[in-house]
């Protein structure tokens, strides 16, 4: 079983950089290609895919976020950096593992999420 846990500041000031870390533990024998993914959910809104990084280090970003977003990966963890934040970036941030088998994707493991509030 794989466990993921988000960590980072719960309060960030506008114009600063939000930095979150997802710590990965455990292991899985599942087959497929893995993408380590960040998703967020603003208050009252749906889930919003931000981006991901593959095991090989290739990054993928939502067009809505790519100009301000950087995802990196290291052994046991991966990170999210979101620069120049505004109150509109207030959300619950989740990390997850996306598993690809052929052309099918599945978010098979999720963290619990962490609330980040951006102050004015």
């Amino acid at each position: 079983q794989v466990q993921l846990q988000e960590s980072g500041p719960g309060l960030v000031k506008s114009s600063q950089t939000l930095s979150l870390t997802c710590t990965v533990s455990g292991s899985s024998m599942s087959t497929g290609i893995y993408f380590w993914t960040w998703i967020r959910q603003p208050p009252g809104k749906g889930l919003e895919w931000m981006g991901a990084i593959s095991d090989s280090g290739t990054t993928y970003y939502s067009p809505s976020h790519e100009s301000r977003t950087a995802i990196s990966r290291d052994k046991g963890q991966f990170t999210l950096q979101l620069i120049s934040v505004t109150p509109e970036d207030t959300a619950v941030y989740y990390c997850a593992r996306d598993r690809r088998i052929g052309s099918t994707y599945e978010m098979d493991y999720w963290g619990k999420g962490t609330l980040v509030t951006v102050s004015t």
Side-chain angles (χ1 to χ4, degrees):
Q1 186 176 12
V2 176
Q3 295 87 37
L4 299 92
Q5 182 173 323
E6 304 88 351
S7 62
L11 181 64
V12 182
K13 295 180 179 179
S14 293
S15 80
Q16 294 185 339
T17 296
L18 168 63
S19 297
L20 296 175
T21 297
C22 183
T23 300
V24 181
S25 61
S27 62
S28 174
M29 296 184 180
S30 300
T31 60
I33 306 299
Y34 301 141
F35 301 86
W36 306 95
T37 304
W38 288 99
I39 307 101
R40 72 180 186 182
Q41 186 170 30
K45 299 182 179 180
L47 296 170
E48 181 181 344
W49 184 87
M50 301 184 70
I53 185 167
S54 71
D55 282 335
S56 65
T58 303
T59 53
Y60 307 84
Y61 299 107
S62 166
S64 301
H65 300 104
E66 62 183 350
S67 65
R68 299 192 295 125
T69 304
I71 297 172
S72 61
R73 182 181 63 86
D74 198 0
K75 292 183 174 64
Q77 65 182 40
F78 61 105
T79 63
L80 170 72
Q81 291 188 303
L82 184 65
I83 67 171
S84 301
V85 298
T86 72
E88 286 68 44
D89 293 310
T90 294
V92 176
Y93 286 76
Y94 299 91
C95 58
R97 189 181 80 168
D98 201 358
R99 180 184 177 214
R100 176 186 173 184
I101 304 175
S103 61
T104 301
Y105 293 83
E106 179 187 2
M107 300 282 187
D108 57 353
Y109 293 96
W110 291 70
K112 297 292 185 181
T114 185
L115 174 64
V116 178
T117 300
V118 180
S119 65
T120 55

